[in-house]
Amino acid sequence: MSQTLAFFLPLPVAIALAVFLVVLFALAAVALSLRTPAPLRAPVRRDSAERTRPRS
């Protein structure tokens, strides 16, 4: 391998890595912004369940 190729080889690798990281961060930001929160469930009240249950 010549010295010229050895000098210029890391530059394209560094550029490709930087572009990959920028795209990765952009996709992560889009994925986080599109994610909807889970629907909230009301806590179950034990006293209401006992009132509706017929007594034997």
Side-chain angles (χ1 to χ4, degrees):
M1 187 184 311
S2 67
Q3 289 181 349
T4 306
L5 184 60
F7 178 76
F8 286 114
L9 184 61
L11 186 60
V13 173
I15 292 172
L17 182 61
V19 169
F20 174 73
L21 289 176
V22 168
V23 169
L24 187 67
F25 284 134
L27 287 177
V30 168
L32 286 176
S33 67
L34 292 179
R35 190 180 70 172
T36 57
L40 298 176
R41 292 182 57 190
V44 177
R45 297 178 59 181
R46 294 180 186 266
D47 56 344
S48 64
E50 291 174 358
R51 280 188 225 149
T52 57
R53 187 182 310 156
R55 296 187 179 198
S56 54

Short mmCIF file of all heavy atoms in Angstrom, two decimals:
data_model
loop_
_atom_site.label_atom_id
_atom_site.label_comp_id
_atom_site.label_asym_id
_atom_site.label_seq_id
_atom_site.Cartn_x
_atom_site.Cartn_y
_atom_site.Cartn_z
N MET A 1 0.86 -1.18 0.00
CA MET A 1 0.00 0.00 0.00
C MET A 1 0.90 1.24 0.00
O MET A 1 1.84 1.34 0.78
CB MET A 1 -0.89 -0.01 1.25
CG MET A 1 -1.90 1.10 1.22
SD MET A 1 -2.94 1.26 2.68
CE MET A 1 -3.51 -0.35 2.99
N SER A 2 0.57 2.17 -0.86
CA SER A 2 1.40 3.37 -0.94
C SER A 2 1.07 4.31 0.21
O SER A 2 0.03 4.20 0.86
CB SER A 2 1.18 4.07 -2.28
OG SER A 2 -0.14 4.58 -2.33
N GLN A 3 1.96 5.27 0.43
CA GLN A 3 1.74 6.22 1.52
C GLN A 3 0.55 7.14 1.24
O GLN A 3 -0.16 7.56 2.15
CB GLN A 3 2.99 7.06 1.73
CG GLN A 3 4.13 6.26 2.33
CD GLN A 3 5.36 7.13 2.55
OE1 GLN A 3 5.43 8.26 2.06
NE2 GLN A 3 6.33 6.60 3.29
N THR A 4 0.32 7.45 -0.02
CA THR A 4 -0.82 8.31 -0.36
C THR A 4 -2.13 7.62 -0.02
O THR A 4 -3.04 8.22 0.57
CB THR A 4 -0.80 8.65 -1.86
OG1 THR A 4 0.48 9.22 -2.18
CG2 THR A 4 -1.90 9.63 -2.21
N LEU A 5 -2.25 6.36 -0.37
CA LEU A 5 -3.47 5.61 -0.07
C LEU A 5 -3.63 5.43 1.43
O LEU A 5 -4.74 5.53 1.95
CB LEU A 5 -3.43 4.25 -0.78
CG LEU A 5 -4.69 3.39 -0.65
CD1 LEU A 5 -5.89 4.13 -1.23
CD2 LEU A 5 -4.50 2.07 -1.35
N ALA A 6 -2.55 5.19 2.12
CA ALA A 6 -2.61 5.03 3.58
C ALA A 6 -3.01 6.35 4.25
O ALA A 6 -3.65 6.34 5.31
CB ALA A 6 -1.27 4.56 4.11
N PHE A 7 -2.67 7.48 3.66
CA PHE A 7 -3.02 8.78 4.25
C PHE A 7 -4.49 9.12 3.99
O PHE A 7 -5.17 9.64 4.86
CB PHE A 7 -2.10 9.87 3.68
CG PHE A 7 -2.43 11.23 4.21
CD1 PHE A 7 -2.08 11.59 5.50
CD2 PHE A 7 -3.11 12.15 3.44
CE1 PHE A 7 -2.39 12.85 6.01
CE2 PHE A 7 -3.42 13.40 3.93
CZ PHE A 7 -3.06 13.75 5.22
N PHE A 8 -5.00 8.84 2.79
CA PHE A 8 -6.35 9.23 2.44
C PHE A 8 -7.40 8.19 2.80
O PHE A 8 -8.59 8.47 2.73
CB PHE A 8 -6.45 9.55 0.94
CG PHE A 8 -5.82 10.85 0.59
CD1 PHE A 8 -4.68 10.89 -0.21
CD2 PHE A 8 -6.34 12.04 1.06
CE1 PHE A 8 -4.10 12.10 -0.54
CE2 PHE A 8 -5.75 13.25 0.73
CZ PHE A 8 -4.63 13.28 -0.06
N LEU A 9 -7.00 7.00 3.16
CA LEU A 9 -7.97 5.96 3.48
C LEU A 9 -8.77 6.27 4.74
O LEU A 9 -9.98 6.09 4.74
CB LEU A 9 -7.27 4.60 3.59
CG LEU A 9 -8.19 3.40 3.84
CD1 LEU A 9 -9.17 3.25 2.68
CD2 LEU A 9 -7.39 2.14 4.01
N PRO A 10 -8.17 6.77 5.83
CA PRO A 10 -8.98 7.02 7.02
C PRO A 10 -9.99 8.15 6.86
O PRO A 10 -11.01 8.16 7.53
CB PRO A 10 -7.95 7.39 8.09
CG PRO A 10 -6.69 6.80 7.62
CD PRO A 10 -6.75 6.89 6.12
N LEU A 11 -9.76 9.10 5.96
CA LEU A 11 -10.68 10.21 5.79
C LEU A 11 -12.06 9.75 5.30
O LEU A 11 -13.08 10.12 5.90
CB LEU A 11 -10.07 11.26 4.86
CG LEU A 11 -10.87 12.55 4.70
CD1 LEU A 11 -11.03 13.24 6.05
CD2 LEU A 11 -10.21 13.46 3.70
N PRO A 12 -12.17 8.94 4.26
CA PRO A 12 -13.49 8.45 3.87
C PRO A 12 -14.16 7.59 4.95
O PRO A 12 -15.38 7.62 5.11
CB PRO A 12 -13.24 7.63 2.61
CG PRO A 12 -11.97 8.15 2.07
CD PRO A 12 -11.17 8.55 3.25
N VAL A 13 -13.36 6.86 5.67
CA VAL A 13 -13.92 6.05 6.75
C VAL A 13 -14.47 6.95 7.84
O VAL A 13 -15.57 6.72 8.36
CB VAL A 13 -12.84 5.09 7.32
CG1 VAL A 13 -13.35 4.36 8.55
CG2 VAL A 13 -12.42 4.09 6.25
N ALA A 14 -13.77 8.01 8.18
CA ALA A 14 -14.25 8.95 9.20
C ALA A 14 -15.50 9.68 8.72
O ALA A 14 -16.44 9.89 9.49
CB ALA A 14 -13.14 9.95 9.53
N ILE A 15 -15.54 10.05 7.45
CA ILE A 15 -16.72 10.72 6.91
C ILE A 15 -17.92 9.77 6.92
O ILE A 15 -19.03 10.16 7.29
CB ILE A 15 -16.43 11.26 5.49
CG1 ILE A 15 -15.41 12.39 5.56
CG2 ILE A 15 -17.70 11.71 4.80
CD1 ILE A 15 -14.91 12.85 4.21
N ALA A 16 -17.70 8.54 6.51
CA ALA A 16 -18.79 7.56 6.50
C ALA A 16 -19.31 7.31 7.92
O ALA A 16 -20.52 7.20 8.14
CB ALA A 16 -18.31 6.26 5.87
N LEU A 17 -18.42 7.25 8.88
CA LEU A 17 -18.83 7.06 10.27
C LEU A 17 -19.62 8.26 10.78
O LEU A 17 -20.64 8.09 11.46
CB LEU A 17 -17.59 6.82 11.15
CG LEU A 17 -17.86 6.55 12.62
CD1 LEU A 17 -18.69 5.29 12.79
CD2 LEU A 17 -16.56 6.44 13.39
N ALA A 18 -19.18 9.46 10.44
CA ALA A 18 -19.90 10.66 10.87
C ALA A 18 -21.29 10.73 10.24
O ALA A 18 -22.28 11.03 10.92
CB ALA A 18 -19.10 11.91 10.50
N VAL A 19 -21.40 10.40 8.96
CA VAL A 19 -22.71 10.40 8.29
C VAL A 19 -23.61 9.34 8.90
O VAL A 19 -24.80 9.56 9.14
CB VAL A 19 -22.53 10.19 6.77
CG1 VAL A 19 -23.87 9.93 6.09
CG2 VAL A 19 -21.85 11.40 6.15
N PHE A 20 -23.06 8.18 9.17
CA PHE A 20 -23.83 7.09 9.79
C PHE A 20 -24.36 7.52 11.15
O PHE A 20 -25.53 7.27 11.48
CB PHE A 20 -22.96 5.84 9.92
CG PHE A 20 -23.63 4.73 10.67
CD1 PHE A 20 -24.66 4.00 10.09
CD2 PHE A 20 -23.23 4.43 11.96
CE1 PHE A 20 -25.28 2.98 10.79
CE2 PHE A 20 -23.84 3.42 12.66
CZ PHE A 20 -24.88 2.67 12.08
N LEU A 21 -23.54 8.17 11.95
CA LEU A 21 -23.98 8.60 13.28
C LEU A 21 -25.06 9.68 13.19
O LEU A 21 -26.02 9.68 13.97
CB LEU A 21 -22.79 9.10 14.09
CG LEU A 21 -21.81 8.02 14.55
CD1 LEU A 21 -20.63 8.64 15.28
CD2 LEU A 21 -22.51 7.02 15.44
N VAL A 22 -24.92 10.60 12.24
CA VAL A 22 -25.94 11.64 12.08
C VAL A 22 -27.27 11.02 11.66
O VAL A 22 -28.32 11.37 12.19
CB VAL A 22 -25.46 12.71 11.05
CG1 VAL A 22 -26.60 13.62 10.65
CG2 VAL A 22 -24.32 13.51 11.64
N VAL A 23 -27.23 10.09 10.74
CA VAL A 23 -28.46 9.42 10.30
C VAL A 23 -29.05 8.61 11.44
O VAL A 23 -30.28 8.59 11.64
CB VAL A 23 -28.17 8.52 9.07
CG1 VAL A 23 -29.36 7.62 8.75
CG2 VAL A 23 -27.82 9.38 7.87
N LEU A 24 -28.22 7.97 12.22
CA LEU A 24 -28.70 7.18 13.35
C LEU A 24 -29.38 8.06 14.38
O LEU A 24 -30.47 7.73 14.89
CB LEU A 24 -27.53 6.43 13.99
CG LEU A 24 -27.87 5.43 15.08
CD1 LEU A 24 -28.64 4.25 14.49
CD2 LEU A 24 -26.62 4.95 15.76
N PHE A 25 -28.79 9.20 14.70
CA PHE A 25 -29.40 10.12 15.66
C PHE A 25 -30.70 10.71 15.11
O PHE A 25 -31.67 10.89 15.85
CB PHE A 25 -28.44 11.25 16.03
CG PHE A 25 -27.36 10.82 16.99
CD1 PHE A 25 -26.05 11.17 16.77
CD2 PHE A 25 -27.66 10.07 18.11
CE1 PHE A 25 -25.04 10.79 17.64
CE2 PHE A 25 -26.67 9.67 18.99
CZ PHE A 25 -25.36 10.03 18.76
N ALA A 26 -30.75 10.99 13.81
CA ALA A 26 -31.98 11.51 13.22
C ALA A 26 -33.10 10.48 13.28
O ALA A 26 -34.24 10.80 13.61
CB ALA A 26 -31.71 11.94 11.77
N LEU A 27 -32.78 9.23 12.97
CA LEU A 27 -33.79 8.18 13.05
C LEU A 27 -34.26 7.96 14.48
O LEU A 27 -35.44 7.71 14.72
CB LEU A 27 -33.24 6.88 12.46
CG LEU A 27 -33.11 6.84 10.95
CD1 LEU A 27 -32.47 5.53 10.50
CD2 LEU A 27 -34.44 7.04 10.27
N ALA A 28 -33.36 8.06 15.43
CA ALA A 28 -33.74 7.90 16.83
C ALA A 28 -34.66 9.04 17.27
O ALA A 28 -35.64 8.81 17.99
CB ALA A 28 -32.49 7.84 17.71
N ALA A 29 -34.37 10.25 16.83
CA ALA A 29 -35.22 11.38 17.18
C ALA A 29 -36.61 11.24 16.57
O ALA A 29 -37.62 11.52 17.21
CB ALA A 29 -34.57 12.68 16.71
N VAL A 30 -36.68 10.78 15.32
CA VAL A 30 -37.98 10.57 14.68
C VAL A 30 -38.74 9.46 15.38
O VAL A 30 -39.94 9.58 15.63
CB VAL A 30 -37.78 10.26 13.18
CG1 VAL A 30 -39.08 9.76 12.55
CG2 VAL A 30 -37.27 11.48 12.45
N ALA A 31 -38.07 8.38 15.74
CA ALA A 31 -38.74 7.27 16.41
C ALA A 31 -39.26 7.70 17.78
O ALA A 31 -40.36 7.31 18.18
CB ALA A 31 -37.77 6.10 16.56
N LEU A 32 -38.51 8.51 18.50
CA LEU A 32 -38.97 8.97 19.81
C LEU A 32 -40.13 9.96 19.67
O LEU A 32 -41.03 9.98 20.52
CB LEU A 32 -37.82 9.62 20.57
CG LEU A 32 -36.78 8.65 21.13
CD1 LEU A 32 -35.65 9.42 21.78
CD2 LEU A 32 -37.42 7.70 22.13
N SER A 33 -40.13 10.76 18.64
CA SER A 33 -41.21 11.72 18.48
C SER A 33 -42.49 11.06 18.02
O SER A 33 -43.59 11.54 18.30
CB SER A 33 -40.82 12.83 17.51
OG SER A 33 -40.68 12.29 16.21
N LEU A 34 -42.40 9.96 17.29
CA LEU A 34 -43.59 9.26 16.81
C LEU A 34 -44.17 8.31 17.85
O LEU A 34 -45.31 7.88 17.70
CB LEU A 34 -43.27 8.46 15.54
CG LEU A 34 -42.96 9.29 14.30
CD1 LEU A 34 -42.62 8.37 13.14
CD2 LEU A 34 -44.13 10.18 13.95
N ARG A 35 -43.40 7.98 18.86
CA ARG A 35 -43.88 7.04 19.86
C ARG A 35 -44.98 7.68 20.69
O ARG A 35 -44.83 8.78 21.22
CB ARG A 35 -42.73 6.62 20.77
CG ARG A 35 -43.08 5.46 21.69
CD ARG A 35 -41.93 5.11 22.54
NE ARG A 35 -41.71 6.18 23.52
CZ ARG A 35 -40.87 6.11 24.52
NH1 ARG A 35 -40.12 5.07 24.66
NH2 ARG A 35 -40.74 7.12 25.36
N THR A 36 -46.11 7.00 20.80
CA THR A 36 -47.22 7.53 21.59
C THR A 36 -47.17 6.91 22.98
O THR A 36 -46.81 5.74 23.14
CB THR A 36 -48.56 7.20 20.93
OG1 THR A 36 -48.66 5.78 20.78
CG2 THR A 36 -48.68 7.86 19.58
N PRO A 37 -47.52 7.67 23.99
CA PRO A 37 -47.49 7.11 25.33
C PRO A 37 -48.57 6.06 25.51
O PRO A 37 -49.60 6.06 24.82
CB PRO A 37 -47.75 8.33 26.24
CG PRO A 37 -48.43 9.31 25.36
CD PRO A 37 -47.91 9.07 23.97
N ALA A 38 -48.33 5.15 26.40
CA ALA A 38 -49.29 4.09 26.68
C ALA A 38 -50.55 4.70 27.29
O ALA A 38 -50.46 5.66 28.07
CB ALA A 38 -48.68 3.07 27.63
N PRO A 39 -51.71 4.18 26.95
CA PRO A 39 -52.94 4.72 27.54
C PRO A 39 -52.97 4.46 29.04
O PRO A 39 -52.58 3.39 29.51
CB PRO A 39 -54.05 3.98 26.82
CG PRO A 39 -53.41 2.76 26.26
CD PRO A 39 -51.97 3.11 26.02
N LEU A 40 -53.43 5.46 29.76
CA LEU A 40 -53.47 5.33 31.21
C LEU A 40 -54.74 4.61 31.62
O LEU A 40 -55.83 4.91 31.13
CB LEU A 40 -53.42 6.72 31.87
CG LEU A 40 -52.17 7.53 31.58
CD1 LEU A 40 -52.29 8.91 32.21
CD2 LEU A 40 -50.95 6.82 32.15
N ARG A 41 -54.59 3.66 32.51
CA ARG A 41 -55.75 2.93 33.03
C ARG A 41 -56.06 3.44 34.42
O ARG A 41 -55.16 3.65 35.23
CB ARG A 41 -55.46 1.43 33.09
CG ARG A 41 -55.31 0.80 31.72
CD ARG A 41 -55.09 -0.67 31.82
NE ARG A 41 -56.17 -1.31 32.57
CZ ARG A 41 -56.15 -2.57 32.98
NH1 ARG A 41 -55.10 -3.31 32.73
NH2 ARG A 41 -57.16 -3.09 33.64
N ALA A 42 -57.33 3.59 34.67
CA ALA A 42 -57.74 4.02 36.00
C ALA A 42 -57.52 2.87 36.97
O ALA A 42 -57.73 1.70 36.62
CB ALA A 42 -59.21 4.42 35.99
N PRO A 43 -57.07 3.16 38.18
CA PRO A 43 -56.86 2.08 39.14
C PRO A 43 -58.20 1.43 39.51
O PRO A 43 -59.23 2.09 39.61
CB PRO A 43 -56.23 2.78 40.34
CG PRO A 43 -56.57 4.21 40.17
CD PRO A 43 -56.72 4.46 38.70
N VAL A 44 -58.17 0.14 39.69
CA VAL A 44 -59.38 -0.60 40.05
C VAL A 44 -59.69 -0.33 41.51
O VAL A 44 -58.84 -0.47 42.39
CB VAL A 44 -59.17 -2.11 39.81
CG1 VAL A 44 -60.40 -2.89 40.25
CG2 VAL A 44 -58.85 -2.36 38.35
N ARG A 45 -60.94 0.07 41.75
CA ARG A 45 -61.37 0.33 43.12
C ARG A 45 -62.00 -0.93 43.68
O ARG A 45 -62.96 -1.45 43.14
CB ARG A 45 -62.37 1.48 43.15
CG ARG A 45 -61.74 2.78 42.65
CD ARG A 45 -62.72 3.89 42.63
NE ARG A 45 -63.25 4.12 43.97
CZ ARG A 45 -64.16 5.03 44.27
NH1 ARG A 45 -64.67 5.77 43.31
NH2 ARG A 45 -64.60 5.19 45.50
N ARG A 46 -61.43 -1.41 44.75
CA ARG A 46 -61.92 -2.66 45.32
C ARG A 46 -63.31 -2.50 45.94
O ARG A 46 -64.13 -3.40 45.87
CB ARG A 46 -60.95 -3.17 46.38
CG ARG A 46 -59.63 -3.57 45.81
CD ARG A 46 -58.71 -4.08 46.91
NE ARG A 46 -57.38 -4.34 46.37
CZ ARG A 46 -56.98 -5.53 45.94
NH1 ARG A 46 -57.80 -6.54 46.00
NH2 ARG A 46 -55.78 -5.69 45.46
N ASP A 47 -63.61 -1.35 46.50
CA ASP A 47 -64.90 -1.19 47.15
C ASP A 47 -66.04 -1.19 46.13
O ASP A 47 -67.12 -1.70 46.40
CB ASP A 47 -64.94 0.08 48.00
CG ASP A 47 -64.62 1.31 47.19
OD1 ASP A 47 -64.08 1.16 46.08
OD2 ASP A 47 -64.89 2.43 47.67
N SER A 48 -65.83 -0.67 44.90
CA SER A 48 -66.88 -0.69 43.90
C SER A 48 -67.11 -2.12 43.40
O SER A 48 -68.23 -2.49 43.08
CB SER A 48 -66.54 0.23 42.74
OG SER A 48 -65.38 -0.23 42.08
N ALA A 49 -66.06 -2.91 43.32
CA ALA A 49 -66.22 -4.29 42.88
C ALA A 49 -66.98 -5.09 43.92
O ALA A 49 -67.77 -5.98 43.59
CB ALA A 49 -64.86 -4.92 42.60
N GLU A 50 -66.76 -4.78 45.19
CA GLU A 50 -67.46 -5.51 46.24
C GLU A 50 -68.94 -5.12 46.29
O GLU A 50 -69.79 -5.92 46.65
CB GLU A 50 -66.80 -5.27 47.59
CG GLU A 50 -65.43 -5.93 47.68
CD GLU A 50 -64.70 -5.55 48.96
OE1 GLU A 50 -65.26 -4.77 49.74
OE2 GLU A 50 -63.58 -6.04 49.15
N ARG A 51 -69.26 -3.88 45.96
CA ARG A 51 -70.65 -3.44 45.98
C ARG A 51 -71.47 -4.08 44.88
O ARG A 51 -72.64 -4.37 45.08
CB ARG A 51 -70.72 -1.92 45.82
CG ARG A 51 -70.44 -1.19 47.09
CD ARG A 51 -70.71 0.30 46.90
NE ARG A 51 -69.59 1.03 47.49
CZ ARG A 51 -69.17 2.18 47.07
NH1 ARG A 51 -69.74 2.78 46.06
NH2 ARG A 51 -68.17 2.76 47.67
N THR A 52 -70.89 -4.30 43.72
CA THR A 52 -71.64 -4.86 42.62
C THR A 52 -71.76 -6.38 42.71
O THR A 52 -72.60 -6.97 42.05
CB THR A 52 -70.97 -4.51 41.27
OG1 THR A 52 -69.64 -4.99 41.29
CG2 THR A 52 -70.98 -3.01 41.06
N ARG A 53 -70.95 -7.03 43.50
CA ARG A 53 -71.00 -8.47 43.63
C ARG A 53 -72.18 -8.85 44.52
O ARG A 53 -72.33 -8.34 45.64
CB ARG A 53 -69.70 -8.99 44.25
CG ARG A 53 -69.62 -10.50 44.26
CD ARG A 53 -68.37 -11.00 44.93
NE ARG A 53 -67.18 -10.29 44.39
CZ ARG A 53 -66.05 -10.18 45.05
NH1 ARG A 53 -65.92 -10.67 46.26
NH2 ARG A 53 -65.05 -9.54 44.52
N PRO A 54 -73.05 -9.77 44.07
CA PRO A 54 -74.18 -10.16 44.93
C PRO A 54 -73.70 -10.94 46.14
O PRO A 54 -72.77 -11.75 46.05
CB PRO A 54 -75.04 -11.04 44.01
CG PRO A 54 -74.12 -11.50 42.94
CD PRO A 54 -73.06 -10.43 42.79
N ARG A 55 -74.31 -10.67 47.26
CA ARG A 55 -73.95 -11.38 48.48
C ARG A 55 -74.68 -12.69 48.55
O ARG A 55 -75.86 -12.79 48.21
CB ARG A 55 -74.27 -10.54 49.70
CG ARG A 55 -73.46 -9.27 49.72
CD ARG A 55 -73.67 -8.53 50.99
NE ARG A 55 -72.83 -7.32 50.98
CZ ARG A 55 -72.53 -6.67 52.05
NH1 ARG A 55 -72.98 -7.04 53.22
NH2 ARG A 55 -71.78 -5.61 51.98
N SER A 56 -74.02 -13.72 49.04
CA SER A 56 -74.68 -15.01 49.14
C SER A 56 -75.00 -15.36 50.58
O SER A 56 -74.45 -14.83 51.49
CB SER A 56 -73.82 -16.09 48.53
OG SER A 56 -72.54 -16.08 49.09
#
